[in-house]
Amino acid sequence: MQRSVQLIRGIDNQVVEAVLLTLAQNHINDFENLWKEQLRLYGQEDKYWDWLFKKRISISRDNYESYAIEYQRKTQGLLWIETQQHRSQVEVGHRLVYIEALASAPWNRRGIQRPPELKGVGTLLLNFARFRSLDLGYEGRVALHALPGAERFYDSRNMMNFGADSDKEDLIYFEYGRLRR
């Protein structure tokens, strides 16, 4: 899978063309070699995520998918979703796309760099999960458990906040219900 997407360059607010594609080894290498030390240095909660493991799960199980955003041959964002086992809390029993992990490159995070190199990476990945939900017939339903440092991001994207989930180390559960047209 490969599709052209648009992001905003932080320094001049110009729209740039990037690519959303299936996670590949070069994206994992970028995480390990370009992201990880910066994530550790800035105390980011996703610094220990293992994208190689996530990719292996995506290859071995048909209910997991992994994606990356590339701009100028550099990985800008990563997404890992589960597509068959999770159900909505808004519309009980209805399937949804569950975001297992969503990450923007350190240089695209306002908490690390101002202005970020690229704006909109996280939002684009979140919206892609909604489109994937539509593709699967789940009517745009998406959910996730947010790391504490990302809660404001999901609140600002108007996801419904269901509060702390004791089954998930008290992470806050967020959900988008059905897209209404």
Side-chain angles (χ1 to χ4, degrees):
M1 195 279 311
Q2 182 171 330
R3 84 170 46 163
S4 181
V5 295
Q6 294 183 333
L7 296 169
I8 299 169
R9 198 169 41 218
I11 196 155
D12 59 8
N13 290 321
Q14 292 298 307
V15 173
V16 297
E17 293 294 320
V19 181
L20 175 72
L21 59 168
T22 303
L23 183 71
Q25 187 61 47
N26 63 302
H27 307 123
I28 296 164
N29 294 345
D30 282 355
F31 178 83
E32 291 295 324
N33 300 320
L34 303 176
W35 293 32
K36 209 169 197 175
E37 181 58 25
Q38 285 188 49
L39 295 175
R40 188 195 62 72
L41 184 66
Y42 287 95
Q44 300 296 292
E45 298 158 314
D46 57 338
K47 63 185 169 262
Y48 297 118
W49 284 359
D50 184 344
W51 286 94
L52 179 58
F53 172 78
K54 294 171 185 355
K55 176 64 177 168
R56 286 181 179 152
I57 295 294
S58 298
I59 291 169
S60 66
R61 297 186 187 169
D62 64 356
N63 61 315
Y64 284 92
E65 300 173 6
S66 51
Y67 300 94
I69 294 177
E70 262 184 40
Y71 175 67
Q72 295 183 336
R73 305 182 105 183
K74 191 161 83 172
T75 306
Q76 305 295 330
L78 298 166
L79 177 68
W80 188 41
I81 60 175
E82 194 286 320
T83 61
Q84 297 173 23
Q85 297 176 343
H86 290 82
R87 301 288 186 264
S88 174
Q89 290 188 19
V90 175
E91 297 174 80
V92 178
H94 289 272
R95 283 186 174 179
L96 53 72
V97 166
Y98 183 81
I99 297 175
E100 295 282 354
L102 185 156
S104 291
W107 49 86
N108 295 327
R109 299 180 189 198
R110 284 185 175 89
I112 294 176
Q113 182 170 313
R114 284 191 184 258
E117 282 187 28
L118 294 171
K119 299 176 186 176
V121 174
T123 301
L124 193 143
L125 291 169
L126 185 61
N127 288 339
F128 174 74
R130 287 204 95 179
F131 291 126
R132 192 69 188 105
S133 174
L134 289 169
D135 290 344
L136 294 165
Y138 303 163
E139 302 179 278
R141 293 180 195 89
V142 172
L144 58 89
H145 286 85
L147 294 172
E151 292 167 3
R152 276 186 40 206
F153 173 78
Y154 297 111
D155 272 328
S156 72
R157 298 312 178 273
N158 297 317
M159 291 188 84
M160 288 176 268
N161 181 331
F162 285 82
D165 184 344
S166 60
D167 292 339
K168 288 280 196 169
E169 301 172 17
D170 288 325
L171 294 177
I172 304 296
Y173 178 79
F174 288 90
E175 185 174 321
Y176 278 134
R178 178 170 44 106
L179 263 175
R180 303 187 191 281
R181 296 185 179 183

